[in-house]
Amino acid sequence: IKCEKGKRIFLNKVQIESIKNAEISPKNRAHIFRDMFLFSIYAGGLRFSDVVTLKWDNYDEKEQRIKKVIRKTDSLHQFKIGKVAIDILEKYKPANLDPNAFIFPIIKNVSLFDKDAEYQQKIIRANNIACGRCLHKLGEKAKLPHTLTFHLSRHTFATNALNNGMRIEHVSKLMGHQDISTTQ
């Protein structure tokens, strides 16, 4: 059976702005999930599991760099981030910064999360599902022609980076692809 290759979709600048500007109540987690999604677009196309587990000690404010071991590949990932990603981080920066605290306040029990791999998987999966539901509703609110998923942030980052002149080898490395054909 031959399968057609799926069409890779991504968000254009207007669609990204409509997501940024969509009204969301600050009382629920949807605004955090939106910020995580936007952060991924502007910070190397990080996967949900890597954004939700991003801690303050992964961010070098002076160098404006993220340094993190990527969960899927278990490899060290380092890259510089731009102004939009920095602005998102600044929204969550507490006055008394604990380097071991998660940047995005989704995971509540940090000590249990850090020592129990089974709990980590459970919490990441549950929050990924919750994020997916919020993004789906946000996509409908923004009147997008396709379903909004967190993975779409990776496609959006890659496409925008390539369209802005970044070399495909660099995009591939940032996204943690083992083979450049995945990026292509």
Side-chain angles (χ1 to χ4, degrees), residues 114-138:
D114 284 345
K115 66 182 178 186
D116 187 338
E118 191 176 314
Y119 181 74
Q120 286 179 12
Q121 290 301 107
K122 179 182 171 188
I123 294 301
I124 290 171
R125 191 177 310 117
N127 281 296
N128 196 0
I129 290 167
C131 178
R133 287 184 184 127
C134 289
L135 290 177
H136 182 78
K137 289 177 186 173
L138 181 59

Side-chain angles (χ1 to χ4, degrees), residues 6-11 145-149 151-156 159:
K7 186 179 179 196
R8 299 289 182 212
I9 55 175
F10 61 94
L11 300 174
H146 43 270
T147 303
L148 188 60
T149 65
H151 195 74
L152 189 58
S153 65
R154 288 177 60 79
H155 292 257
T156 301
T159 303

Side-chain angles (χ1 to χ4, degrees), residues 5 51 164:
K5 283 191 174 184
V51 176
N164 289 323

